């Protein structure tokens, strides 16, 4: 395999943060020697998450085995995932916001036709459902654990207790038609085709659509980590990957 110099569009603050966490983790477990330093370990993980290469490609670049690269990435991802904020923490942080925006996104996976629980009829492909909460500027605040793609957005929101948490905090939340009937503080547009809506209903739906569209910025932020654009791993690991990306985003933003 050929090796060439390359770059990765990740902030240096994310690299410093992950390096510090890995150093603390190594001291905590009493790890005396590693093939890669904590800094290179962090860089390997960030490159894998951001670019989405297979383990063999970064392993060749860092001069380690594929199995070693897998272990290093898994260790760092689990460490980051454990630092991700929970829903309660995210809602508490967002309590001063005027409102929040809720939406669901599908993370594509390489499943076969027989894996019906992972097939999304809405998106016509296999994937994992992840709920995203954004602030009024479209900045990513929280991402949920992953559920099979066949799960509808409103069911996913209820399983994660997003609706109850927002209602308890009294925070208004804007969402699309997929959350119709959610209740609580969730606001959805008027139901029906545009041409069948009354003038008043159309007047309500226009600003609602403009506000809700900002959540796409949060979804784009999540999927800018290109590993999440085509997941080839076990579905049991996807939640950890999403939570790790969330931690890196919030850390680099702060």
């Amino acid at each position: 395999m050929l090796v060439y110099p390359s770059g990765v569009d990740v902030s240096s603050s994310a690299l410093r943060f992950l390096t510090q966490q890995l150093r603390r983790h190594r001291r905590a477990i009493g790890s005396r020697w590693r093939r890669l330093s904590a800094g290179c370990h962090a860089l390997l993980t960030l490159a894998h998450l951001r670019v989405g290469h297979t383990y063999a490609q970064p392993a060749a670049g860092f001069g380690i085995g594929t199995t070693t690269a897998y272990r290093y990435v898994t260790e760092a991802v689990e460490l980051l995932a454990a630092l991700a904020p929970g829903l309660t923490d995210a809602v508490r942080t967002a309590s001063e916001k005027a409102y929040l925006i809720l939406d669901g996104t599908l993370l594509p996976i390489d499943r076969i036709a027989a894996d019906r629980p992972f097939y999304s009829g809405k998106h016509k492909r296999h994937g994992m459902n992840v709920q995203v909460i954004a602030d009024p500027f479209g900045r990513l605040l929280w991402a949920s654990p992953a559920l099979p793609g066949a799960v509808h957005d409103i069911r996913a929101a209820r399983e994660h207790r997003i609706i109850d948490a927002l209602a308890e905090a009294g925070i208004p939340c804007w969402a699309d038609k997929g959350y119709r009937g959610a209740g609580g503080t969730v606001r959805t547009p008027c139901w029906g085709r545009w041409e069948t809506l009354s003038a008043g209903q159309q007047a309500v739906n226009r600003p609602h659509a403009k506000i809700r569209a900002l959540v796409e910025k949060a979804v784009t932020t999540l999927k800018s980590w290109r590993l999440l654009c085509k997941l080839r791993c076990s579905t049991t690991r996807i939640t950890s990957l999403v939570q790790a990306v969330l931690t890196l985003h919030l850390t680099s933003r702060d």
Side-chain angles (χ1 to χ4, degrees):
M1 186 177 294
L2 298 176
V3 178
Y4 65 96
S6 183
V8 57
D9 54 340
V10 178
S11 68
S12 57
S13 60
L15 178 62
R16 289 194 299 269
F17 172 78
L18 182 52
T19 301
Q20 291 172 357
Q21 295 301 321
L22 288 171
R23 284 173 180 161
R24 292 173 184 170
H25 176 68
R26 291 184 178 188
R27 286 196 298 268
I29 64 175
S31 179
R32 296 184 178 181
W33 182 86
R34 293 289 185 95
R35 184 68 181 272
L36 296 181
S37 65
C40 290
H41 184 173
L43 183 58
L44 168 68
T45 303
L46 293 177
H48 175 71
L49 294 174
R50 191 68 171 186
V51 183
H53 286 321
T54 61
Y55 292 108
Q57 292 169 304
F62 283 86
I64 58 178
T66 303
T67 304
T68 303
Y70 172 81
R71 287 203 316 269
Y72 276 23
V73 171
T74 301
E75 181 183 32
V77 165
E78 291 177 353
L79 188 63
L80 289 170
L83 299 173
L87 178 60
T88 302
D89 296 330
V91 171
R92 186 184 303 114
T93 303
S95 60
E96 297 180 356
K97 306 291 183 182
Y99 58 88
L100 297 177
I101 313 172
L102 172 65
D103 198 10
T105 187
L106 188 78
L107 303 181
I109 59 176
D110 57 345
R111 299 285 101 177
I112 60 176
D115 294 325
R116 298 300 299 176
F118 301 99
Y119 184 78
S120 170
K122 175 182 176 182
H123 298 276
K124 307 300 182 184
R125 65 190 308 176
H126 294 83
M128 299 294 285
N129 182 304
V130 173
Q131 299 294 298
V132 173
I133 294 180
D135 68 6
F137 298 97
R139 292 175 296 201
L140 178 64
L141 296 179
W142 183 77
S144 74
L147 292 174
V151 177
H152 294 282
D153 284 339
I154 187 171
R155 177 185 162 190
R158 285 171 175 162
E159 287 196 19
H160 297 309
R161 295 196 72 254
I162 298 174
I163 299 170
D164 293 339
L166 293 175
E168 291 172 4
I171 305 176
C173 177
W174 300 77
D176 62 18
K177 295 178 181 179
Y179 298 88
R180 185 168 64 106
T185 57
V186 178
R187 302 177 183 179
T188 57
C190 298
W191 182 263
R193 294 182 177 275
W194 182 260
E195 58 273 11
T196 63
L197 298 177
S198 66
Q201 290 174 325
Q202 291 180 359
V204 170
N205 280 8
R206 285 193 188 96
H208 188 285
K210 291 180 180 179
I211 293 174
R212 199 201 63 79
L214 292 173
V215 76
E216 297 301 330
K217 293 175 60 178
V219 174
T220 300
T221 297
L222 192 65
K223 292 187 176 181
S224 65
W225 297 82
R226 289 178 281 280
L227 181 71
L228 300 181
C229 293
K230 184 59 176 180
L231 290 157
R232 296 180 289 267
C233 62
S234 169
T235 55
T236 59
R237 295 187 58 233
I238 294 177
T239 292
S240 296
L241 291 171
V242 172
Q243 298 302 305
V245 167
L246 176 64
T247 298
L248 289 171
H249 166 70
L250 295 177
T251 301
S252 60
R253 191 185 69 182
D254 296 339

